[in-house]
Structures are given as C-alpha cells and as structure tokens.
Amino acid sequence: MTTRLTRSIILSAGIALLITAAYYWLLNETRLLKKAPKVTRYQAEVNIRLGAPENVTSPVADVQKCIAIIDDRLTQVRYEHTIKPENDKTFTISIDGLTDTTGLKELLTGNGSLAMQEVYDLSVFANTLSSANNALANYFRSHPEDTLLRQNSQLSTIEYPLLSLLNPARPFTGGGGGMVYPGYIGLVAEKDTALLRQLLEHPAATPYWPADNRFMLGKNDGYGVTQGTQLVYSIKYHPPRITNKNIIRAEAEYDGSTNEQVVAMDFDPAGTAEWERMTTRNINKPIAICLNDKVMSAPTVTMAISGGKSRITLGRSTDNEHGKILSILLKSKELPLQVQVNQAHFSPARPQIPAVWPYALLFMLSFVIAMTVQWLIYRLNKN
C-alpha cells in the first residue's frame, strides 16, 4: 500500500510538473497564448524647472499647484513615480514603468491647448503659391546680400525657392465625381520645416496669402504621406470658439475598422452647438483639429454633426499610451507656470518577475486531478 501510494504521488507530481512547464512554454515562448506583443519599459529620471521668465518671482502657491497637476497627470497614466524637490523651483521626477519616452515631455510641460479651426485648401493657393515663389525668386536675385540667402546656399542656385521645399497637395476624385482637395496644402521634409516657415513669412511672400491666414504643421493624416515629411496647413486663424473648456470627456480608444488610435471627445452644450454650426457651414470641407498650434487631424466634413462628439486620429500604433497622454492633457487643468525639462535620462526597467501563484495553483490542480484519476482506476480494478 505504501509503495503504491508513493508511486502515485511521484507520478502525479511528474504529470503536474509537465503540465505546468508546458503551460509556461506556451505562454512565454510561443505566440499561441500571447494576447499582445511585449512592450519595452523604461525607468526615467527627469529634472524639471518651474517658473515665469527670468527675474520674475514665482509664487509658492503656483509652484505647489503646478506640482499637484503634474502629479495628477502621472497618476492618471498609472506611472509609478516620485517627485523630489531640489530647491524651490527645481524638482527631480523618478518614473518606473514608462513605455512612451517621446510623450513624457508633452505630459510634463504641455497644456493641451485645443482649437477647432477652419482651413484654406489648395483650391485657394493653386495660383498664389506660384506667384509667391516668383516673388521670392525675384527678391533674392535683386538682393544677393540677403541673410537668408547667404545662410542657405541652395536658395542661390534654384529658381523655385518656395516650391523646391513645398510639394503642393494633389486633389482626388470624390464620391460625386468632383475634385476634392485634402485639408493640407502641401508637404515638406522635416529637415526643411524651419526654412520653409521663413520663406512663407518672408515680406516678399506674405502679400499673396489671405489676411487671416496662419500656416501650421501637422503629422500624417492618413493620406499615405512619405515618412520624414510634415503636412502644411493654411488655417483661417480666429479666436477659437471650441477649446478645452468645452470638453467634458476625452478618452483614448482604438478604432478596429481602421486599426488607428483615436481620442474621442464629448463637448458641453455650448461646444455642441458651436460644433454643429461649424460642421454645417463646412460640409465637404476640412476642419483642422489643432493642439498646441499643431494640426493633429483635418477630416473632411460630410454632414452636420450634432450630439457634440468629435475625435482626434493619432494613426496606427500598438501602444495606446500616446492616446492616454493626449486625453489627459485635454482634460487637465492649465499649468500656472512654465515647465522646462532640464535633463531626462532613460534606462531599461528591471525585468518584472512573473507571478508564481498561477503556476503553483496549476501544479496543485493538476496534481489533485492526477491523484484522483489514479484512485478511480485503482478502485475500478479492485472491484
């Protein structure tokens, strides 16, 4: 009896160990049981400075309020963090479990300044871009001493100073057969954005733009834009009638139909009414959704939108953390002081030790089942 029991215990333990090992292998070494790709996590040490411009005293209450807002933002993203004061204006923030190193600065320093703005498309700029380009070329030919010309050697060797940097957008055929222009007027290489802005704002070019025009840059808005380029928008710049104050909900979501990350927003009654009016007068035209003077998205309005809902498209991504950061900024209180990142250091986080209890529970369950099966077989054979 004792020998049979010992053998049963050893056999059951072996079976349970084999089942547990097989489960661990399937979960960690194959894709059969994996639900999502592994995400690299980092530890961060960030030194920030709070304050107004130089030689302006920052009230202690504003410093405390600023730190409280930053602490709340980090908590909402569920970062494990500590904030340590170095002096009355400088703080060191330690963060564990960080997955989006690019969005951290925006989270700490940004105010999420939202504005819905109407835009000019290329139908307005089709001829003026060429005229502005010729005006710039004539100016540089007659002013060889110009600082901008001397600092950028390529401008002295081309006849198209503006159009060599700005690639105009192309219209496409709409559902009704007519030509439709995208929300942006052109593309520019990221390395040339500063030079392009100088040309667009040059006195020789500005007379050709609409009086209320303001140029803004934006990321790929789903038009198959080549990587390493920015979209150039012409904004009808007026004091925005829909801002953060009109947002009552902002949540990061995933659109399964397009495989894109989005931030869905709900507006208050005033924002809802204004959004319906704005979309009504811009049917078949784009509206730019701007954040911190950058265009996040410029969808074309197909019908008037009632109900006070909108969303910002962030593009395709496996990590929804950027969407979380953006939704938090849209809802967050405004920082009373300017936040400057002095230094940021990132290092890979220590590997997380997997929890042991699921495997222990599986081992015990497998052991009990194996012992029960052997006992039943023994009883059947005895009878």
Side-chain angles (χ1 to χ4, degrees), residues 1 15 28 31 70 98 101 183 223 238 260 272 282 367 380:
M1 180 67 180
I15 293 173
N28 294 277
R31 297 182 178 180
I70 292 174
L98 182 70
T101 58
Y223 296 102
H238 302 281
E260 292 180 319
T272 298
N282 284 279
F367 178 82
L380 290 173

Side-chain angles (χ1 to χ4, degrees), residues 284-302:
N284 296 325
K285 298 178 182 179
I287 291 180
I289 303 175
C290 308
L291 187 71
N292 298 329
D293 289 333
K294 292 183 179 180
V295 179
M296 301 300 297
S297 181
T300 298
V301 179
T302 58

Side-chain angles (χ1 to χ4, degrees), residues 185-242:
I185 64 170
L187 295 81
V188 60
E190 291 182 351
K191 63 181 182 63
D192 294 329
T193 54
L195 177 57
L196 176 65
R197 185 172 293 280
Q198 288 180 291
L199 293 177
L200 292 173
E201 297 174 355
H202 196 280
T206 52
Y208 295 92
W209 315 138
D212 60 349
N213 169 76
R214 181 174 178 180
F215 292 107
M216 287 188 186
L217 298 176
K219 296 182 179 180
N220 184 344
D221 198 24
Y223 296 102
V225 178
T226 305
Q227 186 175 5
T229 59
Q230 292 273 312
L231 306 180
V232 181
Y233 294 86
S234 172
I235 304 297
K236 298 180 182 179
Y237 196 75
H238 302 281
R241 295 176 180 173
I242 300 178

Side-chain angles (χ1 to χ4, degrees), residues 47-52 66-67 70 73 93 105 107-111 335-342:
N47 184 266
I48 64 172
R49 177 181 173 80
L50 311 180
C66 207
I67 291 299
I70 292 174
R73 291 179 179 181
I93 305 175
K105 181 178 179 180
L107 182 68
L108 298 176
T109 64
N111 271 321
L335 292 168
L337 298 174
Q338 184 181 20
V339 180
Q340 178 182 352
V341 176
N342 294 329

Side-chain angles (χ1 to χ4, degrees), residues 304-315:
I305 302 175
S306 59
K309 294 183 181 295
S310 183
R311 68 180 193 171
I312 300 174
T313 302
L314 301 177

